[in-house]
Amino acid sequence: MTIAIIGGTGPQGQGLALRFARAGVPVALGSRDGARAAEIGKDLMAQLGEGAAFITGLANEDATKAADELVILAVPFAGHNATLAALKPHLAGKIVVDIVVPLAEGDPKKVTMPPEGSATEAAQALLGPDIPVVGALHNVSATTLKNLDWDINCDILVCGNSLPARKSVMALIEKLGVNAYNAGDAEAARCIEAITPILIRINISKQVPFTHAGIKIWAPDH
Amino acid sequence: MTIAIIGGTGPQGQGLALRFARAGVPVALGSRDGARAAEIGKDLMAQLGEGAAFITGLANEDATKAADELVILAVPFAGHNATLAALKPHLAGKIVVDIVVPLAEGDPKKVTMPPEGSATEAAQALLGPDIPVVGALHNVSATTLKNLDWDINCDILVCGNSLPARKSVMALIEKLGVNAYNAGDAEAARCIEAITPILIRINISKQVPFTHAGIKIWAPDH
């Protein structure tokens, strides 16, 4: 089942492409510039061993068409709405997985949420009720994703108004060997997206002995 | 250094009183009903061993006056603003630690944020700039707090507009043997408070093998 990653040539998109291809999921890697996507797709394939699925670099529109069901949106927030509006005619019957965090301009330790409340809610409002939007994968560091020797050190909170769509996305994410949790409807994205700048603040702080931390749902061990 | 816990006879307040007293911090446990607070204070003391600090049950106003610096607000959200307005004359020179989560009425799997954005921001707006408000301790389960045989299985995200006030609160929380992280200014409470209903949703779900989970900032282990 081929997935698309729109804006897939950015660090987050590249990292996800590597991880999904290694897990056996074919990836259509989209970019505004199809030729650049093709080149980066080849570079990424060169990092993967035998048995990985294929990463094909394409223009965003062609990558969207190539997706069987799941279209991951990984553009900067500045391009979030315009990209979705352009792709909308090709999204019927598909699920949009919105991983975008509306970081504040000039301060990645803060968010500036859109009037709808979150990027996921803005996407759902723009696409209308027939194209389900699922928010997920906001809090995982691109550096971690791109380093295939590291385990992914976070759990994934998944939200959206369609429960079947959430379940499809959770099943995809679990192929990466991580826990995905159902966090409820799209409104939960107001929280989940805003965890990312808090993690960025902590990770760049000199007060902590680590970088690239994620969050984990931490069960009692008694 | 005595701390006050306003609304301290609720489950979260009782759990915090036990934990802080066990860690050697004297607690003025406040309630609208001072006699009831005194009774519960005695019950809690009976659960603590030798060497614990004292828990004194008082009316909310007297508990506030008894606090040297830190006043923890642990009332239900319905009483959040009225309680603060009543206590405001006694809060000069003190720091309010707001642990309140504005859970949606009838659905603890959602929040209904006040117009200010979060309970912490509402408190800061109500008290004015001279009384610092710090949001903290939102995501720790009362059941976990009250069971002294359990470790506290979560990290604590601390936010507020005053950095010195945040640092005082982080130092207090670390006495419980947990990690406290600086999550930035009061606006971060929009995220931090909203983590609680997501945890409630996950904890009551039949899809997970645990209850009472918290969140952890999870550093890579490479």
Short mmCIF file of all heavy atoms in Angstrom, two decimals, chain A residues 88 121-133:
data_model
loop_
_atom_site.label_atom_id
_atom_site.label_comp_id
_atom_site.label_asym_id
_atom_site.label_seq_id
_atom_site.Cartn_x
_atom_site.Cartn_y
_atom_site.Cartn_z
N LYS A 88 -6.66 19.31 -3.05
CA LYS A 88 -8.01 18.86 -2.71
C LYS A 88 -8.70 18.05 -3.82
O LYS A 88 -9.30 17.00 -3.54
CB LYS A 88 -8.88 20.07 -2.30
CG LYS A 88 -10.26 19.68 -1.81
CD LYS A 88 -11.06 20.88 -1.30
CE LYS A 88 -12.47 20.47 -0.93
NZ LYS A 88 -13.30 21.61 -0.50
N GLU A 121 -7.33 21.01 12.54
CA GLU A 121 -8.69 21.54 12.39
C GLU A 121 -8.80 22.46 11.17
O GLU A 121 -9.84 22.46 10.48
CB GLU A 121 -9.10 22.28 13.66
CG GLU A 121 -9.36 21.34 14.83
CD GLU A 121 -9.44 22.10 16.14
OE1 GLU A 121 -8.36 22.48 16.67
OE2 GLU A 121 -10.55 22.34 16.62
N ALA A 122 -7.75 23.22 10.88
CA ALA A 122 -7.76 24.08 9.69
C ALA A 122 -7.84 23.21 8.43
O ALA A 122 -8.58 23.52 7.49
CB ALA A 122 -6.50 24.96 9.66
N ALA A 123 -7.10 22.12 8.42
CA ALA A 123 -7.13 21.21 7.27
C ALA A 123 -8.52 20.61 7.09
O ALA A 123 -9.05 20.55 5.98
CB ALA A 123 -6.09 20.10 7.45
N GLN A 124 -9.13 20.19 8.20
CA GLN A 124 -10.45 19.57 8.11
C GLN A 124 -11.48 20.58 7.61
O GLN A 124 -12.35 20.25 6.79
CB GLN A 124 -10.85 18.99 9.46
CG GLN A 124 -12.10 18.12 9.40
CD GLN A 124 -11.87 16.87 8.55
OE1 GLN A 124 -11.25 15.92 8.98
NE2 GLN A 124 -12.36 16.88 7.32
N ALA A 125 -11.38 21.82 8.08
CA ALA A 125 -12.31 22.86 7.64
C ALA A 125 -12.14 23.14 6.15
O ALA A 125 -13.11 23.29 5.41
CB ALA A 125 -12.09 24.14 8.45
N LEU A 126 -10.90 23.15 5.71
CA LEU A 126 -10.62 23.46 4.30
C LEU A 126 -11.07 22.33 3.38
O LEU A 126 -11.60 22.57 2.29
CB LEU A 126 -9.11 23.72 4.17
CG LEU A 126 -8.55 24.31 2.88
CD1 LEU A 126 -7.25 25.06 3.19
CD2 LEU A 126 -8.31 23.27 1.81
N LEU A 127 -10.86 21.10 3.80
CA LEU A 127 -11.14 19.95 2.91
C LEU A 127 -12.60 19.51 2.98
O LEU A 127 -13.07 18.80 2.08
CB LEU A 127 -10.23 18.77 3.26
CG LEU A 127 -8.74 19.02 3.03
CD1 LEU A 127 -7.92 17.82 3.51
CD2 LEU A 127 -8.45 19.30 1.55
N GLY A 128 -13.32 19.93 4.03
CA GLY A 128 -14.72 19.52 4.15
C GLY A 128 -14.84 18.13 4.74
O GLY A 128 -13.86 17.39 4.83
N PRO A 129 -16.06 17.77 5.13
CA PRO A 129 -16.26 16.55 5.93
C PRO A 129 -16.02 15.24 5.19
O PRO A 129 -15.89 14.19 5.83
CB PRO A 129 -17.73 16.66 6.38
CG PRO A 129 -18.37 17.59 5.39
CD PRO A 129 -17.30 18.53 4.92
N ASP A 130 -15.95 15.28 3.85
CA ASP A 130 -15.81 14.01 3.13
C ASP A 130 -14.37 13.51 3.03
O ASP A 130 -14.13 12.37 2.62
CB ASP A 130 -16.40 14.13 1.72
CG ASP A 130 -17.91 14.33 1.78
OD1 ASP A 130 -18.51 13.98 2.82
OD2 ASP A 130 -18.48 14.85 0.79
N ILE A 131 -13.41 14.36 3.35
CA ILE A 131 -12.00 13.93 3.32
C ILE A 131 -11.48 13.95 4.76
O ILE A 131 -11.21 15.02 5.31
CB ILE A 131 -11.15 14.86 2.43
CG1 ILE A 131 -11.71 14.87 1.00
CG2 ILE A 131 -9.69 14.43 2.44
CD1 ILE A 131 -11.10 15.94 0.10
N PRO A 132 -11.36 12.79 5.40
CA PRO A 132 -10.95 12.81 6.81
C PRO A 132 -9.51 13.27 6.99
O PRO A 132 -8.62 12.88 6.22
CB PRO A 132 -11.12 11.36 7.26
CG PRO A 132 -11.33 10.54 6.04
CD PRO A 132 -11.67 11.45 4.91
N VAL A 133 -9.31 14.08 8.00
CA VAL A 133 -7.97 14.55 8.37
C VAL A 133 -7.62 13.96 9.72
O VAL A 133 -8.44 13.99 10.65
CB VAL A 133 -7.91 16.09 8.44
CG1 VAL A 133 -6.53 16.55 8.91
CG2 VAL A 133 -8.26 16.70 7.09
#
